[in-house]
Amino acid sequence: MDYETIPAPDFGQSLRAVSVNLLVRDVLAEVAFLTQVFALTAHRSSADFAILEHAGQPIQLHADHTYAAHPLLGLLPETPPRGAGIELRLHEADPDHAAQAAAQFPDAVILLPPTDKPAHGLREAVILCPNGYAWVPSRRL
């Protein structure tokens, strides 16, 4: 799918099963974080909206102001973390690289440094992005 040129209605109708859409204060800053830390591919990045891709799966970002008429906007906390209790797991993403890259972002927090989890068969980290969402890059041991 060409995420750069697909019309919004066609993109919306192409989504299946479960999709991820995050509300963020600054779309372009979040795109920079996600592409540098987790090597996500960015498409259609603007101040209002972006489509990112990881392992063929799209992730959408919307700026807070684009939800002005949506009831969810009034529930957002004034300060992070926004997504407490939600882990966004990026399988086949390098947790060691992610932790090193996240250290370059002053508002990022490494909750769990890269750690081998033999019971799960994974090496993973837990990193809060500047918007407060918990991202978990993981690789198979």
Side-chain angles (χ1 to χ4, degrees), residues 15-16 18 29 40 47 49 57 63 68 70-71 85 89 96 109 128 134:
L15 299 172
R16 298 286 181 266
V18 176
L40 272 62
F49 175 75
Q57 298 298 315
H70 194 287
R89 290 188 164 263
D96 294 286
V109 176
L128 287 183

Side-chain angles (χ1 to χ4, degrees), residues 38-53:
F38 304 113
L40 272 62
T41 302
H43 302 280
R44 235 185 196 158
S45 300
S46 74
D48 295 331
F49 175 75
I51 299 171
L52 293 112
E53 189 177 8

